[in-house]
Amino acid sequence: AELRLEEALAIQRAMGNDSGAARSLRRLALAVWEGGRFEEAELLAREGYATTVATSNRTGLALSHVNLGQVLDKVGKFSEAHSFLQQGLVLLSELGHHNYITQAHCFLGSSDMHMGHYEEARDHAATGLALARKHGPPYSVGLSLILLGCLDLAGGAHARAHQHLQDGIAVYRDSDQRNDLSEALACLTITSHKLGDRREASRYLHEALKLAVDLGAVPPLLWALPAMALLLSDEGEHERAVELYALASRYPLVARSCWFEDVVGQRIAAIAATLPPERVAALEERGQARDLEASVRELIAESEGQATTLLG
């Protein structure tokens, strides 16, 4: 995808088509982000935005606001993301692009959620769901339901979270949204864990990890690793839990998120408090130095080759 998008970008630039170049940059930013090159993705999204500003294409400008906001949200710059997304939503509403409006509400809800503004996030999720059910696309129905499930999880409404997440996952499966499916399964892992169904949690986590690795997508791993740390903590593998959460926390999406802190981070911090401080420092340093994808592959191999209690 990256190779084709880079070729498209070169052609658009050679033609002097700024609107086309901006469109290619937006799509390239998302492809690069999926590959785990987050800083590069942000630069591409910013370049796409700047390129669009130089044109008179209002739809392109609205989409560039949303694209940049989405990427900023995923790299942990939640406040700046919210600002761009809000501006994009205003423009999209003026233009009447219903499909994109539903997504903008969900992305705004995500940035609110990570900043700990849960009620505002719920308003956006509910609005996005209503609009998506009326206008589409199906993807946005699933996106809204998953967001609501995550918010329920943060609020302690675990049964309701489980239902929302299952409903959203069903939409994703029907529409073949496999990358988003991996993230949603990681959230469902945490929910099942909170409900005391460890077998189900292990099954969902294994599917989430395997799917992300098969796709070669890095972002879902940032959701799956905190879920894995939570399950490890209940197995008494406290040091591994601290180390894996440190690996996930190397990324700003996790490190700066109120949601991750409320749902997983507080539990890991409580466990770390029972260990000698020097041992915690060593575990966190080792976790931060780990290779993300290699670590996940090791954990999947462990579950398949040794039938461990965690994932088996």
Side-chain angles (χ1 to χ4, degrees):
E2 286 182 34
L3 289 172
R4 289 180 171 88
L5 287 165
E6 287 169 353
E7 184 179 1
L9 176 59
I11 292 170
Q12 298 287 7
R13 283 174 167 165
M15 294 171 60
N17 185 350
D18 288 341
S19 293
R23 183 168 58 251
S24 295
L25 283 163
R26 291 196 297 270
R27 293 172 178 171
L28 184 58
L30 293 178
V32 168
W33 168 71
E34 295 285 6
R37 304 201 308 278
F38 301 124
E39 292 181 358
E40 184 181 345
E42 180 183 343
L43 290 174
L44 286 166
R46 290 189 185 278
E47 184 181 356
Y49 175 78
T51 303
T52 307
V53 168
T55 73
S56 57
N57 188 332
R58 294 190 72 215
T59 296
L61 182 59
L63 294 178
S64 288
H65 273 95
V66 173
N67 175 259
L68 179 53
Q70 182 186 8
V71 172
L72 289 171
D73 179 61
K74 302 304 183 184
V75 299
K77 297 183 178 181
F78 307 121
S79 180
E80 188 180 8
H82 195 279
S83 176
F84 277 102
L85 288 166
Q86 186 63 55
Q87 294 174 66
L89 178 59
V90 170
L91 286 169
L92 289 170
S93 299
E94 291 174 356
L95 295 166
H97 291 305
H98 295 295
N99 284 9
Y100 297 123
I101 289 170
T102 59
Q103 293 180 40
H105 275 292
C106 291
F107 298 150
L108 272 166
S110 174
S111 59
D112 272 324
M113 181 183 79
H114 287 300
M115 289 189 290
H117 304 159
Y118 295 138
E119 289 305 314
E120 292 88 339
R122 186 173 296 279
D123 288 343
H124 281 298
T127 300
L129 180 59
L131 291 171
R133 283 176 168 163
K134 182 177 180 180
H135 301 289
Y139 161 74
S140 292
V141 174
L143 189 61
S144 302
L145 287 167
I146 297 302
L147 180 56
L148 285 169
C150 290
L151 292 166
D152 292 333
L153 184 56
H158 300 142
R160 189 171 64 192
H162 194 270
Q163 188 62 60
H164 275 139
L165 289 167
Q166 283 194 320
D167 290 346
I169 284 170
V171 174
Y172 283 170
R173 290 193 193 278
D174 287 343
S175 55
D176 199 29
Q177 294 288 339
R178 290 182 296 160
N179 185 47
D180 293 315
L181 174 61
S182 181
E183 292 184 7
L185 286 166
C187 294
L188 189 55
T189 297
I190 299 173
T191 306
S192 297
H193 167 269
K194 298 284 187 182
L195 289 170
D197 193 336
R198 198 180 169 287
R199 181 180 294 275
E200 183 180 81
S202 298
R203 178 165 53 87
Y204 287 138
L205 178 59
H206 183 71
E207 185 181 359
L209 288 167
K210 186 71 163 54
L211 183 57
V213 170
D214 288 347
L215 290 170
V218 173
L221 301 179
L222 307 188
W223 296 78
L225 280 180
M228 175 169 278
L230 199 60
L231 266 63
L232 281 169
S233 70
D234 275 4
E235 288 298 308
E237 297 194 52
H238 293 167
E239 292 196 353
R240 288 185 73 195
V242 170
E243 184 176 333
L244 284 179
Y245 195 69
L247 169 58
S249 298
R250 187 173 71 199
Y251 298 90
L253 173 67
V254 177
R256 299 173 185 170
S257 169
C258 292
W259 185 85
F260 276 109
E261 174 65 16
D262 291 342
V263 174
V264 181
Q266 291 177 9
R267 166 67 175 161
I268 302 302
I271 289 170
T274 68
L275 301 173
E278 62 275 10
R279 183 57 182 160
V280 172
L283 290 168
E284 290 179 342
E285 181 178 358
R286 192 163 68 190
Q288 292 274 326
R290 270 180 171 267
D291 179 87
L292 177 65
E293 294 175 80
S295 297
V296 172
R297 288 184 184 278
E298 289 172 11
L299 292 164
I300 292 175
E302 178 182 324
S303 72
E304 294 175 339
Q306 301 177 19
T308 59
T309 303
L310 174 63
L311 295 176

